[in-house]
């Protein structure tokens, strides 16, 4: 299984001080920055676009930018996010596009390719693309995407177990309601990467919280 990673979600940051918030996440010891891109069609919310990814690259060029496209037609925006500085680009398996071709396009633009599954989407939906080696990681949502601060849904844990048993080296990320308690439930199921917004950006000392999360994960691995 890949090493554990923690990714603060910029959606929960103070939008009046985005540059400072990006640097705060980096300086707190996070492994990457997660950026949620919403189009108000695929999900019922509108967030930000390539300009914020470009800002993250400008203020923290060595801080990995993990970009989650919650878009009806993500294939139309691969080049724009590549130019903005995305390092990983994730698309939903439920999106209205040719998934295989879009994953190939992401790779062709020099980015890592990720597949996202909604909470009740069966893990088998990702398997054809994983079997072809087209995706570098899978993100399982533990809330229905669109808004931060939602309560963790345990529904996808069984899907994560299935994927982990079949693909022991695959990076499996989880996003939605992740905190110090749900983090361990997800890790026990086989997740190795954890996206958290409110639980990290709202805390007064993000570095201390990330360190505590890492200690909990290490203890789980040792048990």
């Amino acid at each position: 299984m890949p090493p554990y990673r923690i990714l603060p979600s910029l959606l929960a940051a103070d939008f009046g001080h985005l540059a400072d918030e990006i640097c705060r996440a980096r300086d707190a010891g996070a492994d990457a920055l997660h950026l949620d891109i919403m189009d108000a069609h695929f999900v019922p919310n509108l967030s930000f676009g390539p300009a914020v990814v470009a800002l993250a690259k400008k203020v923290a060029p060595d801080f990995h930018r993990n970009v989650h496209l919650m878009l009806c037609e993500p294939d139309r925006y691969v080049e724009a996010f590549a130019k903005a500085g995305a390092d990983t680009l994730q698309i939903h398996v439920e999106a209205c596009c040719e998934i295989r071709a879009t994953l190939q396009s992401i790779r062709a633009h020099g980015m890592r390719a990720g597949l996202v599954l909604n909470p009740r989407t069966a893990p088998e939906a990702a398997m054809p693309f994983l079997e072809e080696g087209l995706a570098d990681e899978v993100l399982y949502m533990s809330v229905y995407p669109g808004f931060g601060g939602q309560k963790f849904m345990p529904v996808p844990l069984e899907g994560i177990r299935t994927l982990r048993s079949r693909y022991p080296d695959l990076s499996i990320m989880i996003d939605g309601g992740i905190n110090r308690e749900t983090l361990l439930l997800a890790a026990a199921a086989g997740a190795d990467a954890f996206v958290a917004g409110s639980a990290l950006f709202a805390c007064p000392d993000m570095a201390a919280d990330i360190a505590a999360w890492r200690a909990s994960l290490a203890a789980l691995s040792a048990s």
Side-chain angles (χ1 to χ4, degrees), residues 98-204:
E98 173 51 57
I99 301 299
R100 181 174 287 100
T102 306
L103 292 171
Q104 290 170 334
S105 176
I106 291 169
R107 289 265 188 85
H109 281 85
M111 296 174 287
R112 296 176 77 253
L115 266 178
V116 187
L117 285 75
N118 279 336
R120 298 187 187 278
T121 299
E124 287 78 12
M127 288 180 183
F129 310 106
L130 295 172
E131 292 296 323
E132 293 181 44
L134 295 175
D136 300 292
E137 64 188 28
V138 168
L139 166 61
Y140 236 125
M141 296 301 299
S142 43
V143 299
Y144 280 101
F147 294 92
Q150 298 184 64
K151 185 178 179 180
F152 177 83
M153 297 172 58
V155 173
L157 295 181
E158 189 56 40
I160 290 172
R161 291 187 188 97
T162 299
L163 289 174
R164 177 57 65 212
S165 66
R166 184 154 181 171
Y167 306 102
D169 298 323
L170 176 68
S171 180
I172 304 174
M173 186 178 295
I174 188 164
D175 180 9
I178 298 299
N179 54 39
R180 201 178 301 187
E181 291 74 39
T182 57
L183 168 91
L184 297 179
L185 295 175
D192 61 273
F194 312 91
V195 177
S198 305
L200 289 178
F201 274 105
C203 65

Side-chain angles (χ1 to χ4, degrees), residues 35 78 85 93 108 127 222:
L35 299 104
V78 170
V93 74
M127 288 180 183

Side-chain angles (χ1 to χ4, degrees), residues 10 18-20 22-23 26 33 35 50-65 81-87:
L10 196 64
L18 272 184
D20 292 337
I22 292 165
C23 293
R26 177 201 60 194
L33 183 69
L35 299 104
V52 173
V53 178
L55 173 67
K57 181 178 181 180
K58 178 181 178 180
V59 302
D62 297 326
F63 194 27
H64 189 98
R65 292 164 293 280
F81 282 98
K83 288 181 177 178
D87 294 303

Side-chain angles (χ1 to χ4, degrees), residues 37-46 68-77 81 90-99 102 145:
I37 312 300
M38 307 180 191
D39 65 358
H41 293 281
F42 186 74
V43 294
N45 197 6
L46 186 66
H68 174 192
L69 298 185
M70 287 171 264
L71 311 178
C72 287
E73 298 176 293
D75 52 316
R76 296 175 56 194
Y77 299 94
F81 282 98
Q90 301 172 327
I91 63 166
H92 274 259
V93 74
E94 306 92 355
C96 301
C97 69
E98 173 51 57
I99 301 299
T102 306

